[in-house]
Amino acid sequence: SLVLNSPKKMNATKTAIDGPCDCSLLGNLPIPSELKKLHRIDCKGQTVVIGIEGSANKVGVGVLAYQPSTNSYTTLSNPRKTYISPPGHGFLPKETSWHHQAHIVALVRAALEEAFPDNKTPGKEISAVCYTKGPGMGGPLRTCAVAARTISLIFGCPLVAVNHCVGHIEMGRVATGASDPVVLYVSGGNTQVIAYSDQRYQIFGETIDIAIGNCLDRFARVIGLSNDPSPGYNIEQEAKKGTQFIELPYVVKGMDVSFSGILTYVEQEAKKSLSKGIVTKADLCFSLQETLFAMLVEITERAMAHCGQNEVLIVGGVGCNRRLQEMMDAMVNERGGQLCAMDHRYCIDNGAMIAQAGIFALQHGITTKMKDATCTQRFRTDQVKVIWRPSTVWNHS
């Protein structure tokens, strides 16, 4: 059970260091005046929400505030914890759920204490509790949904259920100032190329089997790389030392990509060639990254051409890979466009991104009834009606 006065505390480390993000250039619809008074406002006239994320091996709690006088959003706190599985193993739903249950109370307390350092009753300042409805792993999602419902009852404020991917996109738009980009969403569980139209984030292309993050993580386990801080990060560092490119299958099917066959091929190459000294781990990591990222750049460029867009936003945990950003930046620059990318603070799953999408929904009248505050493992990006953005049409080029 969630008890907010639990004696367990986290180390006091500042997790929110960025200033306010001006949203006047995002092109969102104005906040309806008749809805501004329907939710609680804090003593400074701000709308403040909590966001809870726990769809995979990271659990995070973010507190985010909207200041109407400057039309800006500020992340007040954003602590998180990561479940790191033993070397050679992935993270399983049961153990990941136990991890989230062990840390969620301390994270809520830490987030509130950082956001309201001199306030002994921070619950009175909270306008809503936002949480990840899905997609994700069932056990971890359920843990965070229970926590969100409990906090909502304790603080007497409404719930807002959020799509995980939409949280990534809205956090990216606010953090980078990208008004209407083509979005490449790359993580351990998702790989999608997305563009906005008619109040939906439409999926142009996606993986037809496993996600790119899952592909990288599984290969890291095959060659014995650590899961700390993450397998993908360790592959990125290993790839920097690679000197030999090994040709791998390149599987683009229209606007979709496939990674499972490439993974099988490179796993077999590792078993066959590493022991003989023909290639190194670094060479394999380098070759795998270059091949996978080239596929993603190709389908992203095709989406840009179709939609007539000149901005690309990369979101998701794999999005903070510097080599992916370099390759995407080269393509975007050739087209006279701009790459919008972020570092690990906002690319990797975090509570503030759920708060960001949640506050947009709240300000346009969307809340979730307690009886409907469930979670689901399958929740596609294009199922969400993005009512805070105007209807637009693509400018085909």
Side-chain angles (χ1 to χ4, degrees):
S1 62
L2 178 72
V3 183
L4 293 185
N5 62 356
S6 165
K8 183 178 179 181
K9 286 191 175 184
M10 295 180 63
N11 294 330
T13 304
K14 195 160 183 64
T15 59
I17 59 175
D18 298 308
C21 295
D22 182 5
C23 291
S24 57
L25 300 179
L26 288 184
N28 286 0
L29 292 171
I31 301 171
S33 57
E34 66 273 14
L35 298 178
K36 292 180 180 179
K37 297 180 180 180
L38 295 183
H39 54 264
R40 186 184 299 161
I41 303 297
D42 77 353
C43 58
K44 299 178 182 178
Q46 302 179 124
T47 300
V48 184
V49 300
I50 293 177
I52 300 177
E53 156 59 25
S55 59
N57 70 324
K58 293 171 180 64
V59 56
V61 179
V63 178
L64 186 135
Y66 171 72
Q67 177 51 257
S69 62
T70 57
N71 191 27
S72 62
Y73 293 88
T74 305
T75 299
L76 304 180
S77 60
N78 200 19
R80 68 180 167 215
K81 285 284 187 179
T82 302
Y83 171 60
I84 298 173
S85 54
H89 297 269
F91 52 90
L92 300 175
K94 182 169 67 173
E95 288 79 3
T96 308
S97 300
W98 291 344
H99 170 271
H100 291 7
Q101 292 167 22
H103 290 286
I104 187 65
V105 172
L107 283 166
V108 171
R109 293 192 64 199
L112 291 173
E113 287 172 3
E114 182 179 346
F116 308 102
D118 301 317
N119 192 330
K120 294 184 178 180
T121 56
K124 296 180 179 179
E125 312 294 324
I126 302 300
S127 305
V129 178
C130 314
Y131 76 97
T132 304
K133 182 179 181 69
M137 302 171 72
L141 281 171
R142 188 167 60 248
T143 296
C144 293
V146 169
R149 292 196 295 265
T150 305
I151 297 169
S152 170
L153 292 171
I154 293 173
F155 290 168
C157 57
L159 287 159
V160 181
V162 174
N163 177 284
H164 180 82
C165 176
V166 174
H168 273 298
I169 295 172
E170 297 304 347
M171 186 81 259
R173 290 180 65 234
V174 171
T176 65
S179 59
D180 190 22
V182 169
V183 179
L184 175 64
Y185 174 31
V186 279
S187 68
N190 300 274
T191 303
Q192 297 176 346
V193 176
I194 300 162
Y196 174 79
S197 177
D198 197 24
Q199 293 195 311
R200 302 275 176 176
Y201 284 117
Q202 309 285 358
I203 300 171
F204 264 70
E206 59 190 318
T207 176
I208 60 175
D209 40 52
I210 61 174
I212 185 170
N214 185 249
C215 179
L216 293 170
D217 291 356
R218 286 165 64 175
F219 183 65
R221 293 199 290 271
V222 168
I223 60 175
L225 296 184
S226 171
N227 290 326
D228 189 8
S230 72
Y233 175 81
N234 292 328
I235 279 188
E236 179 184 1
Q237 303 314 308
E238 194 72 20
K240 294 176 182 178
K241 299 179 285 187
T243 58
Q244 178 185 179
F245 178 78
I246 297 96
E247 188 171 346
L248 302 175
Y250 185 94
V251 191
V252 174
K253 299 176 182 289
M255 281 298 293
D256 295 329
V257 290
S258 173
F259 300 126
S260 59
I262 302 172
L263 176 61
T264 300
Y265 185 96
V266 75
E267 285 178 346
Q268 292 172 347
E269 189 69 26
K271 293 174 183 177
K272 178 178 66 177
S273 303
L274 280 178
S275 60
K276 297 178 182 178
I278 300 174
V279 297
T280 65
K281 291 181 181 181
D283 292 333
L284 292 172
C285 291
F286 167 69
S287 303
L288 183 60
Q289 272 200 169
E290 295 296 301
T291 303
L292 300 184
F293 294 168
M295 292 161 57
L296 296 176
V297 171
E298 178 186 334
I299 62 174
T300 303
E301 182 174 20
R302 197 175 294 127
M304 288 181 70
H306 181 84
C307 300
Q309 308 286 48
N310 63 0
E311 286 184 325
V312 171
L313 171 65
I314 306 179
V315 300
V318 181
C320 54
N321 185 297
R322 293 296 181 88
R323 180 54 184 155
L324 174 59
Q325 292 180 7
E326 288 173 2
M327 294 174 69
M328 191 67 71
D329 191 49
M331 179 275 288
V332 173
N333 283 335
E334 287 178 1
R335 297 183 61 86
Q338 181 180 6
L339 174 66
C340 304
M342 301 174 287
D343 60 21
H344 65 93
R345 290 173 299 164
Y346 296 124
C347 272
I348 295 173
D349 293 351
N350 62 91
M353 73 183 205
I354 302 304
Q356 187 65 70
I359 198 171
F360 282 158
L362 176 72
Q363 290 173 324
H364 287 79
I366 294 179
T367 58
T368 303
K369 295 179 180 179
M370 185 66 67
K371 67 181 180 66
D372 298 324
T374 57
C375 54
T376 176
Q377 292 178 266
R378 293 174 176 83
F379 190 10
R380 286 180 63 81
T381 313
D382 51 10
Q383 287 181 252
V384 179
K385 188 169 184 180
V386 187
I387 66 168
W388 52 90
R389 295 188 61 180
S391 296
T392 58
V393 294
W394 292 314
N395 179 27
H396 299 283
S397 61

